[in-house]
Amino acid sequence: MATFDEGISETLSLLRRKGGMTRTEIVAETGLSRSAVNLRIDALLDGRLVAGSAREAVTKGRPAEVFSFNSARGKLLAADVGATKFRAGLCNLGGDVESEIELPSDVTAGPEVLLGSILECFEKFLVDTGTQADEILGIGLSLPAPVKRGSGMSVNPPIMPLWNRFDVPAWFQRRFACPVFLEKDANAMAYGEARFSHPDADDLLLVKIGTGIGSGLIRDGALYRGADGAAGDLGHIPMTLPGEDDGPLCKCGNHGCLEARAGGWAILRDLQEAGAPARNQDDLIAALASGDATAVQLARRAGQVIGTAVATAVNLLNPRVVVLAGHLVAAGGDHLLPAIRERVYSRSLPLATSELTIVASSLHPREGLVGLAHLVSDGILEPAQIGRLVEREDTV
């Protein structure tokens, strides 16, 4: 039997999916009694999580009251952190991004430095919009690193060792009295694409191709993290066959990983070894944009390698949609995408590809921020958290 908080959360979830509904419509949809629906609606009204409005009557009589999710009930803060840049945003409770800032980042400098920069952005949002700290209902942060499920910590991150087991929620909760969610960047991006661009795809694989390579997975409409949070680490799949040499050294310490052969830093390494004056990812993007022959050749080769790994994932997971995202897709998609598609369709089972769609992200560069906004919104409106919002309003 569902608890009262679970009932409130279920009713709110229904209103978020369906839009405005009357009490009679909610009774018909849920099969609940009129009194049970009234209790849930009253609790949601008390917590200002829904708002009521009159629907014009089609016949004589009192117009029915329509209840809708109140996305203006509070604000959310989110920051999508990449290896070289981060994007921070102020969002409403419906997951819409209302303000955003992109700044350079250096994840190797350690958590205190980068989180301090993110906090400065958050404080600017509050000042610029007149938002009070107690109106912030949740915070989301994504990192280009593995995140242990439910811990709020990254564990042994290859490119950012100073973040190992750093308690991100505790750091933000010194300033904000709200839940803080930490997520792997590719997971947040996958959630954003699933909620915004592909809402009808219950099974979706997002492959992030940037400085590194990662993936996020939506299974049966929900984010799939695995037992410990390590699911989707596509970039560290070994791409070395018996009898071959070990392959290039990866930043994780192993040899021959997909990322060490085809990630942005690996392409930059190979471009530099070819004598090009490329110093960073921006230079690599510029070389691709200008049609530099060496950069284009390396990107196409990377696409073939990535496509081989994605074909394996398609055979294993059978997603309906594969979304390719990240700054290298945005900059060099004309070279990467055809190579990836060719490998996937030629090396995957016909049944797995018969209705498969492989597309570039439609949200770049905001996939992660949009995903975080929805993840945080969903997180604070689930049964374990929604009671806090209702009780909080009662005490104001």
mmCIF file of all heavy atoms in Angstrom, residues 3 14 27 29-30 41 57 65-66 68-69 86 111 124 142 181 187 232-233 241 259 282 285 323 359:
data_model
loop_
_atom_site.group_PDB
_atom_site.id
_atom_site.type_symbol
_atom_site.label_atom_id
_atom_site.label_comp_id
_atom_site.label_asym_id
_atom_site.label_seq_id
_atom_site.Cartn_x
_atom_site.Cartn_y
_atom_site.Cartn_z
ATOM 1 N N THR A 3 2.344 4.898 0.680
ATOM 2 C CA THR A 3 2.285 5.870 1.760
ATOM 3 C C THR A 3 1.667 7.155 1.234
ATOM 4 O O THR A 3 1.502 7.343 0.021
ATOM 5 C CB THR A 3 3.683 6.171 2.316
ATOM 6 O OG1 THR A 3 4.443 6.833 1.289
ATOM 7 C CG2 THR A 3 4.403 4.891 2.714
ATOM 8 N N LEU A 14 1.515 12.508 -12.300
ATOM 9 C CA LEU A 14 0.434 12.435 -13.285
ATOM 10 C C LEU A 14 0.151 13.811 -13.878
ATOM 11 O O LEU A 14 0.015 13.967 -15.100
ATOM 12 C CB LEU A 14 -0.825 11.872 -12.622
ATOM 13 C CG LEU A 14 -2.086 11.810 -13.488
ATOM 14 C CD1 LEU A 14 -1.894 10.850 -14.643
ATOM 15 C CD2 LEU A 14 -3.291 11.407 -12.638
ATOM 16 N N VAL A 27 -9.571 11.120 -10.703
ATOM 17 C CA VAL A 27 -10.249 9.922 -10.187
ATOM 18 C C VAL A 27 -10.356 8.867 -11.288
ATOM 19 O O VAL A 27 -10.050 7.684 -11.091
ATOM 20 C CB VAL A 27 -11.646 10.283 -9.639
ATOM 21 C CG1 VAL A 27 -12.464 9.016 -9.389
ATOM 22 C CG2 VAL A 27 -11.523 11.097 -8.367
ATOM 23 N N GLU A 29 -8.536 8.555 -14.013
ATOM 24 C CA GLU A 29 -7.222 8.095 -14.463
ATOM 25 C C GLU A 29 -6.584 7.140 -13.476
ATOM 26 O O GLU A 29 -5.917 6.170 -13.864
ATOM 27 C CB GLU A 29 -6.301 9.307 -14.676
ATOM 28 C CG GLU A 29 -4.900 8.978 -15.145
ATOM 29 C CD GLU A 29 -4.833 8.586 -16.607
ATOM 30 O OE1 GLU A 29 -5.762 8.937 -17.370
ATOM 31 O OE2 GLU A 29 -3.845 7.931 -16.997
ATOM 32 N N THR A 30 -6.764 7.406 -12.163
ATOM 33 C CA THR A 30 -6.051 6.640 -11.134
ATOM 34 C C THR A 30 -6.882 5.524 -10.516
ATOM 35 O O THR A 30 -6.319 4.586 -9.947
ATOM 36 C CB THR A 30 -5.587 7.577 -10.012
ATOM 37 O OG1 THR A 30 -6.745 8.175 -9.383
ATOM 38 C CG2 THR A 30 -4.673 8.665 -10.550
ATOM 39 N N ILE A 41 -4.669 16.367 -3.557
ATOM 40 C CA ILE A 41 -4.710 17.688 -4.181
ATOM 41 C C ILE A 41 -4.579 18.779 -3.123
ATOM 42 O O ILE A 41 -3.851 19.776 -3.320
ATOM 43 C CB ILE A 41 -6.007 17.872 -4.989
ATOM 44 C CG1 ILE A 41 -5.987 16.991 -6.238
ATOM 45 C CG2 ILE A 41 -6.203 19.340 -5.376
ATOM 46 C CD1 ILE A 41 -4.905 17.354 -7.234
ATOM 47 N N ALA A 57 -17.100 26.140 -18.395
ATOM 48 C CA ALA A 57 -18.104 25.079 -18.443
ATOM 49 C C ALA A 57 -18.727 24.998 -19.837
ATOM 50 O O ALA A 57 -19.035 26.023 -20.457
ATOM 51 C CB ALA A 57 -19.187 25.341 -17.400
ATOM 52 N N GLU A 65 -12.690 22.976 -11.650
ATOM 53 C CA GLU A 65 -11.373 23.519 -11.344
ATOM 54 C C GLU A 65 -10.306 22.588 -11.918
ATOM 55 O O GLU A 65 -10.357 21.372 -11.726
ATOM 56 C CB GLU A 65 -11.180 23.675 -9.841
ATOM 57 C CG GLU A 65 -9.923 24.448 -9.481
ATOM 58 C CD GLU A 65 -9.847 24.781 -7.997
ATOM 59 O OE1 GLU A 65 -10.614 24.167 -7.222
ATOM 60 O OE2 GLU A 65 -9.026 25.632 -7.618
ATOM 61 N N VAL A 66 -9.368 23.176 -12.626
ATOM 62 C CA VAL A 66 -8.294 22.418 -13.264
ATOM 63 C C VAL A 66 -7.007 22.630 -12.482
ATOM 64 O O VAL A 66 -6.638 23.767 -12.164
ATOM 65 C CB VAL A 66 -8.097 22.872 -14.726
ATOM 66 C CG1 VAL A 66 -6.949 22.105 -15.368
ATOM 67 C CG2 VAL A 66 -9.376 22.673 -15.516
ATOM 68 N N SER A 68 -2.867 22.164 -12.195
ATOM 69 C CA SER A 68 -1.660 22.038 -13.015
ATOM 70 C C SER A 68 -0.420 22.158 -12.141
ATOM 71 O O SER A 68 -0.437 22.816 -11.086
ATOM 72 C CB SER A 68 -1.629 23.139 -14.103
ATOM 73 O OG SER A 68 -2.789 23.103 -14.896
ATOM 74 N N PHE A 69 0.650 21.530 -12.587
ATOM 75 C CA PHE A 69 1.937 21.612 -11.897
ATOM 76 C C PHE A 69 2.424 23.059 -11.880
ATOM 77 O O PHE A 69 2.423 23.743 -12.909
ATOM 78 C CB PHE A 69 2.950 20.712 -12.602
ATOM 79 C CG PHE A 69 4.354 20.821 -12.094
ATOM 80 C CD1 PHE A 69 4.642 20.698 -10.743
ATOM 81 C CD2 PHE A 69 5.400 21.037 -12.979
ATOM 82 C CE1 PHE A 69 5.945 20.782 -10.279
ATOM 83 C CE2 PHE A 69 6.701 21.129 -12.521
ATOM 84 C CZ PHE A 69 6.978 21.004 -11.167
ATOM 85 N N PHE A 86 32.826 24.719 -17.942
ATOM 86 C CA PHE A 86 31.609 24.334 -17.229
ATOM 87 C C PHE A 86 30.497 25.305 -17.600
ATOM 88 O O PHE A 86 30.733 26.456 -17.957
ATOM 89 C CB PHE A 86 31.816 24.280 -15.708
ATOM 90 C CG PHE A 86 31.891 25.622 -15.012
ATOM 91 C CD1 PHE A 86 30.742 26.310 -14.650
ATOM 92 C CD2 PHE A 86 33.127 26.189 -14.708
ATOM 93 C CE1 PHE A 86 30.817 27.544 -14.001
ATOM 94 C CE2 PHE A 86 33.215 27.416 -14.063
ATOM 95 C CZ PHE A 86 32.052 28.106 -13.705
ATOM 96 N N PRO A 111 38.683 20.232 -6.251
ATOM 97 C CA PRO A 111 37.274 20.604 -6.100
ATOM 98 C C PRO A 111 37.040 21.985 -5.509
ATOM 99 O O PRO A 111 36.126 22.699 -5.929
ATOM 100 C CB PRO A 111 36.720 19.505 -5.182
ATOM 101 C CG PRO A 111 37.907 18.939 -4.480
ATOM 102 C CD PRO A 111 39.045 19.051 -5.449
ATOM 103 N N LYS A 124 25.612 34.914 -8.456
ATOM 104 C CA LYS A 124 25.257 35.931 -9.458
ATOM 105 C C LYS A 124 23.828 35.731 -9.946
ATOM 106 O O LYS A 124 23.082 36.703 -10.131
ATOM 107 C CB LYS A 124 26.240 35.874 -10.628
ATOM 108 C CG LYS A 124 25.921 36.863 -11.751
ATOM 109 C CD LYS A 124 27.005 36.860 -12.816
ATOM 110 C CE LYS A 124 26.580 37.662 -14.042
ATOM 111 N NZ LYS A 124 26.183 39.039 -13.720
ATOM 112 N N SER A 142 27.263 17.821 -12.509
ATOM 113 C CA SER A 142 27.774 16.658 -13.238
ATOM 114 C C SER A 142 29.266 16.811 -13.430
ATOM 115 O O SER A 142 29.772 17.926 -13.590
ATOM 116 C CB SER A 142 27.078 16.513 -14.595
ATOM 117 O OG SER A 142 27.368 17.604 -15.440
ATOM 118 N N PHE A 181 22.560 16.802 -5.854
ATOM 119 C CA PHE A 181 22.698 15.581 -6.641
ATOM 120 C C PHE A 181 23.967 15.664 -7.485
ATOM 121 O O PHE A 181 24.193 16.650 -8.192
ATOM 122 C CB PHE A 181 21.485 15.385 -7.550
ATOM 123 C CG PHE A 181 20.172 15.315 -6.825
ATOM 124 C CD1 PHE A 181 19.490 16.475 -6.485
ATOM 125 C CD2 PHE A 181 19.622 14.091 -6.476
ATOM 126 C CE1 PHE A 181 18.277 16.425 -5.822
ATOM 127 C CE2 PHE A 181 18.408 14.023 -5.804
ATOM 128 C CZ PHE A 181 17.726 15.194 -5.473
ATOM 129 N N ASN A 187 25.655 10.713 -18.165
ATOM 130 C CA ASN A 187 24.322 10.360 -17.659
ATOM 131 C C ASN A 187 23.391 11.562 -17.724
ATOM 132 O O ASN A 187 22.233 11.452 -18.150
ATOM 133 C CB ASN A 187 24.417 9.859 -16.219
ATOM 134 C CG ASN A 187 24.934 8.438 -16.114
ATOM 135 O OD1 ASN A 187 25.116 7.762 -17.118
ATOM 136 N ND2 ASN A 187 25.191 7.985 -14.909
ATOM 137 N N GLY A 232 28.213 2.326 -18.366
ATOM 138 C CA GLY A 232 28.383 3.268 -19.456
ATOM 139 C C GLY A 232 29.784 3.797 -19.647
ATOM 140 O O GLY A 232 29.973 4.762 -20.386
ATOM 141 N N ASP A 233 30.774 3.194 -19.027
ATOM 142 C CA ASP A 233 32.142 3.714 -19.175
ATOM 143 C C ASP A 233 32.747 3.209 -20.480
ATOM 144 O O ASP A 233 33.729 2.465 -20.508
ATOM 145 C CB ASP A 233 32.997 3.289 -17.986
ATOM 146 C CG ASP A 233 34.125 4.279 -17.717
ATOM 147 O OD1 ASP A 233 34.400 5.094 -18.624
ATOM 148 O OD2 ASP A 233 34.715 4.247 -16.636
ATOM 149 N N LEU A 241 43.637 -6.297 -29.473
ATOM 150 C CA LEU A 241 43.418 -7.716 -29.715
ATOM 151 C C LEU A 241 44.649 -8.526 -29.330
ATOM 152 O O LEU A 241 45.772 -8.015 -29.340
ATOM 153 C CB LEU A 241 43.090 -7.946 -31.187
ATOM 154 C CG LEU A 241 41.819 -7.280 -31.714
ATOM 155 C CD1 LEU A 241 41.689 -7.507 -33.216
ATOM 156 C CD2 LEU A 241 40.596 -7.805 -30.985
ATOM 157 N N GLU A 259 39.220 5.508 -25.464
ATOM 158 C CA GLU A 259 39.520 6.929 -25.306
ATOM 159 C C GLU A 259 40.957 7.256 -25.693
ATOM 160 O O GLU A 259 41.234 8.318 -26.263
ATOM 161 C CB GLU A 259 39.246 7.358 -23.866
ATOM 162 C CG GLU A 259 39.443 8.836 -23.605
ATOM 163 C CD GLU A 259 39.065 9.225 -22.193
ATOM 164 O OE1 GLU A 259 37.898 8.980 -21.799
ATOM 165 O OE2 GLU A 259 39.924 9.771 -21.471
ATOM 166 N N ASP A 282 40.610 23.581 -28.437
ATOM 167 C CA ASP A 282 40.150 24.663 -29.308
ATOM 168 C C ASP A 282 40.917 24.660 -30.631
ATOM 169 O O ASP A 282 40.340 24.904 -31.699
ATOM 170 C CB ASP A 282 40.310 26.011 -28.609
ATOM 171 C CG ASP A 282 39.302 26.210 -27.478
ATOM 172 O OD1 ASP A 282 38.260 25.527 -27.508
ATOM 173 O OD2 ASP A 282 39.557 27.034 -26.583
ATOM 174 N N ILE A 285 39.561 21.812 -32.740
ATOM 175 C CA ILE A 285 38.279 22.184 -33.341
ATOM 176 C C ILE A 285 38.495 23.122 -34.526
ATOM 177 O O ILE A 285 37.861 22.980 -35.580
ATOM 178 C CB ILE A 285 37.375 22.841 -32.278
ATOM 179 C CG1 ILE A 285 36.914 21.780 -31.266
ATOM 180 C CG2 ILE A 285 36.167 23.506 -32.926
ATOM 181 C CD1 ILE A 285 36.177 22.346 -30.083
ATOM 182 N N VAL A 323 22.462 8.688 -29.554
ATOM 183 C CA VAL A 323 22.727 10.117 -29.706
ATOM 184 C C VAL A 323 24.225 10.341 -29.542
ATOM 185 O O VAL A 323 24.827 9.909 -28.557
ATOM 186 C CB VAL A 323 21.968 10.947 -28.653
ATOM 187 C CG1 VAL A 323 22.285 12.433 -28.833
ATOM 188 C CG2 VAL A 323 20.469 10.719 -28.763
ATOM 189 N N VAL A 359 21.802 9.731 -34.345
ATOM 190 C CA VAL A 359 21.703 11.167 -34.632
ATOM 191 C C VAL A 359 22.697 11.949 -33.784
ATOM 192 O O VAL A 359 23.148 11.491 -32.732
ATOM 193 C CB VAL A 359 20.283 11.694 -34.342
ATOM 194 C CG1 VAL A 359 19.266 11.070 -35.284
ATOM 195 C CG2 VAL A 359 19.895 11.457 -32.888
#
